[in-house]
Amino acid sequence: MDNIQLLYVANTVSGKATASTQTLQFLLRVANLGYGKTVEVHWAGEDGVWRRVLADYCASGGDGSEYWRAEVAFPRQARTELPGDIHFVARLEYAGREYWDNNDGCENYFCAAGSGGRMTGVLPLVQLNPMQGLGAAQRNVPLKFAVNAALAVEKVTVHWTLDDWRHVHKAGCRLLSGKRSATHGGYAGLHPVQLWSTNLNVSGAFRLQYSICYESKEQAFWDNNGERNYRLSRAPLKVMILNLHCYQEDDQDRKFWQIAKAVDELNADVVCLQEVAEHWNDGQGDWASNSANIINRRLKKPFHLYSDWSHLGFDKYREGVAILSRYPLERQEARYVSDSSDAYSIHSRKVVAACIDVPCIGPIDVFSAHLSWWDDGFRDQFQRLSDWADSRRGAEVAATLLCGDFNIAAGSLGYRLVVDGHRYEDQYLAANAPALFQQIFRVDDAHWRDRLADDYRIDYVFMNKDSGLRAISARVLFTEQDYGRVSDHCGYLLEFEPL
């Protein structure tokens, strides 16, 4: 494809003659050359003055292209005239270079006032409202198509599914304008169109996939997005983990602000924190100084928070763990998983758990854990933790996530214990090294530990292998290049979607 292509234009005039409004709409397909593009339409009305309107990004295409849309409206005002007929061209600027679609250099594009919608010959069918995804509370998806009238289409049907084609639905489209006839014509590179629309009820589904069949008397045509089908999804579940280093950081207050900023900007849904500290206060604690509470209060909109402490840390803090969630916390629970529950012993390790009902995904059991080193009890602690997590699993639980600081290096004896348990799997590895993940957790290749020799992680999100989620991305946070160091640990952000 060319780097920029006009797909559709509409020049409509609505309202009474003395109070009418003229609206110009443009839909463009643009090559995904990189970030920092400028996409615009240059146009001139009957006054001959050239103007420009910037286009906004709408959605990505199945072939790696992007859809951009521009719109501008002109209400009639005293002593002013509407633009009327327009001439126009489309322009893309990227990295100092310009690309144009000017109707192959013939005479620019032309669209008469009140002529409605028209399309170029680039595609026989154009979606007029391309979308990037489904909104958090969206229950209906309106679809509108322009079809080249020369095809004499008599029927348009959307074939769609909410469960990866296990169940298929069909939605007939309604003809909004344009005759069911092979009307030819058009001018300056534009052709008359039929407009069709339908509305799909997606209710609480996480994703929608669909393709379009449009039929004339002679034959049926399909648009299935280059054999990929069209796909709209809700935003993935985002889980962040971070060990806070128990008030041991220089410039601690600023770093709490940095953590809150990252949670907001990255749109995290769940945050699991370890080494959460508050002043000891003779063992009574001090909620106002609780580091998870401080971070939560600095969010643009505070999350639901559950925290508990395990032991005396650094001789002056109650040290524990916490879960913060955008969604309400249910079935909150805290337990020691260590042999010791002595508040004065660093080997006393308590874990907090909560069930989070994530919209369009379902209930997720989340655990925030800070376990001991291998020589100080990791084996028994992880066994108790995993048994506890399994005991909470029911048919309604979509996934179980064990999150936090496990104090075991990738490839170590402790990591081997997790692998050999065949219940919980490393989701950072699943997202970033799927072939190695398969080798370790599914094939159990005898030499897999050699592949982890340079992996120094001790913070993980382990997910029950029977869960109904998959990790689609995982990244390291709070490095010199990413929000700055805020602890002696890095943080991690993982994204999940349903299978």
Side-chain angles (χ1 to χ4, degrees):
M1 61 165 282
D2 295 335
N3 286 324
I4 182 168
Q5 297 172 318
L6 174 72
L7 299 180
Y8 174 85
V9 59
N11 187 344
T12 58
V13 179
S14 59
K16 298 179 180 180
T18 57
S20 55
T21 296
Q22 183 173 355
T23 303
L24 307 178
Q25 297 173 310
F26 308 90
L27 183 65
L28 309 155
R29 187 167 70 170
V30 176
N32 184 12
L33 302 179
Y35 292 105
K37 296 185 289 290
T38 298
V39 181
E40 56 191 15
V41 176
H42 293 227
W43 65 275
E46 293 177 8
D47 61 5
V49 177
W50 282 90
R51 303 170 177 86
R52 67 171 188 160
V53 55
L54 288 172
D56 295 316
Y57 171 81
C58 296
S60 59
D63 57 356
S65 61
E66 299 174 343
Y67 294 101
W68 290 65
R69 182 165 46 207
E71 179 173 336
V72 60
F74 301 89
R76 187 187 295 275
Q77 299 174 350
R79 297 185 298 277
T80 63
E81 295 295 327
L82 298 177
D85 302 344
I86 63 168
H87 293 82
F88 64 97
V89 295
R91 173 183 175 272
L92 163 67
E93 188 276 329
Y94 174 72
R97 300 189 64 180
E98 292 184 338
Y99 308 90
W100 295 84
D101 180 1
N102 58 359
N103 191 22
D104 292 327
C106 299
E107 51 182 318
N108 296 329
Y109 289 107
F110 170 80
C111 192
S115 62
R118 293 186 174 258
M119 63 194 300
T120 60
V122 174
L123 299 173
L125 178 145
V126 174
Q127 292 198 58
L128 297 183
N129 55 346
M131 292 169 282
Q132 183 64 20
L134 298 174
Q138 185 173 353
R139 300 183 65 84
N140 294 284
V141 176
L143 297 176
K144 188 175 181 181
F145 310 106
V147 183
N148 193 325
L151 295 176
V153 167
E154 297 191 339
K155 182 180 181 182
V156 178
T157 306
V158 177
H159 297 244
W160 58 287
T161 179
L162 301 175
D163 56 8
D164 287 328
W165 304 104
R166 290 188 290 272
H167 298 87
V168 180
H169 311 276
K170 297 180 182 180
C173 295
R174 180 168 62 96
L175 180 64
L176 300 177
S177 65
K179 297 180 179 180
R180 290 187 174 93
S181 62
T183 303
H184 294 281
Y187 38 86
L190 301 176
H191 308 278
V193 300
Q194 298 175 336
L195 297 180
W196 298 79
S197 74
T198 191
N199 193 57
L200 307 182
N201 182 1
V202 297
S203 298
F206 183 83
R207 69 173 64 88
L208 163 70
Q209 298 176 78
Y210 64 94
S211 59
I212 307 110
C213 179
Y214 47 113
E215 305 171 64
S216 67
K217 286 183 179 180
E218 289 77 23
Q219 66 182 114
F221 308 89
W222 282 89
D223 180 356
N224 59 3
N225 195 27
E227 300 185 355
R228 301 172 185 84
N229 295 319
Y230 291 97
R231 171 189 169 111
L232 298 173
S233 293
R234 314 278 182 183
L237 172 68
K238 296 185 178 181
V239 178
M240 180 187 294
I241 62 172
L242 175 65
N243 181 312
L244 294 177
H245 198 199
C246 202
Y247 264 112
Q248 299 305 297
E249 290 294 309
D250 294 332
D251 205 3
Q252 183 70 79
D253 190 68
R254 180 189 63 82
K255 292 180 178 180
F256 286 157
W257 278 111
Q258 287 298 100
I259 296 166
K261 179 182 179 182
V263 173
D264 280 331
E265 292 184 350
L266 297 171
N267 295 312
D269 297 299
V270 178
V271 182
C272 291
L273 301 174
Q274 300 79 47
E275 291 199 33
V276 174
E278 61 185 64
H279 295 310
W280 178 250
N281 191 23
D282 293 327
Q284 301 304 306
D286 173 38
W287 184 243
S289 66
N290 182 281
S291 51
N293 179 41
I294 291 172
I295 293 167
N296 194 42
R297 293 202 313 266
R298 293 179 180 181
L299 300 179
K300 291 180 179 178
K301 183 177 180 180
F303 280 16
H304 302 273
L305 169 61
Y306 179 47
S307 182
D308 206 340
W309 66 285
S310 301
H311 57 255
L312 174 65
F314 296 92
D315 297 322
K316 58 180 180 179
Y317 300 109
R318 294 207 313 187
E319 180 184 330
V321 289
I323 299 173
L324 291 79
S325 170
R326 184 181 306 278
Y327 310 107
L329 299 171
E330 303 171 357
R331 296 173 58 203
Q332 300 174 20
E333 192 176 2
R335 291 186 187 181
Y336 280 103
V337 295
S338 53
D339 292 335
S340 171
S341 58
D342 181 357
Y344 294 93
S345 171
I346 195 175
H347 302 301
S348 297
R349 302 290 172 140
K350 186 182 287 183
V351 175
V352 295
C355 186
I356 304 169
D357 195 355
V358 182
C360 304
I361 289 181
I364 307 294
D365 254 353
V366 176
F367 295 74
S368 183
H370 185 190
L371 303 190
S372 294
W373 301 265
W374 176 260
D375 292 335
D376 295 310
F378 173 84
R379 177 193 294 273
D380 291 339
Q381 291 173 23
F382 186 82
Q383 186 65 52
R384 291 188 185 106
L385 172 59
S386 56
D387 288 345
W388 173 23
D390 290 347
S391 72
R392 288 173 56 102
R393 283 186 62 82
E396 76 286 355
V397 175
T400 298
L401 304 177
L402 310 182
C403 307
D405 178 0
F406 289 84
N407 275 312
I408 53 168
S412 66
L413 288 174
Y415 194 88
R416 178 85 232 190
L417 176 74
V418 178
V419 172
D420 289 344
H422 302 292
R423 286 193 286 178
Y424 289 90
E425 300 173 334
D426 181 354
Q427 296 307 295
Y428 181 90
L429 210 60
N432 288 326
L436 180 57
F437 173 83
Q438 291 287 331
Q439 181 183 355
I440 294 173
F441 288 95
R442 302 297 166 82
V443 178
D444 196 13
D445 186 302
H447 304 290
W448 64 261
R449 277 182 290 183
D450 297 337
R451 302 279 302 278
L452 292 174
D454 296 326
D455 189 338
Y456 302 106
R457 289 175 297 134
I458 62 172
D459 303 274
Y460 303 92
V461 174
F462 292 116
M463 184 168 69
N464 186 291
K465 66 181 299 184
D466 297 324
S467 296
L469 299 182
R470 62 169 166 255
I472 58 172
S473 73
R475 57 182 284 194
V476 182
L477 294 177
F478 305 114
T479 67
E480 286 79 0
Q481 296 76 33
D482 194 343
Y483 290 100
R485 301 289 303 191
V486 296
S487 171
D488 59 342
H489 286 242
C490 295
Y492 296 87
L493 181 73
L494 286 79
E495 298 186 5
F496 296 89
E497 67 176 19
L499 297 175

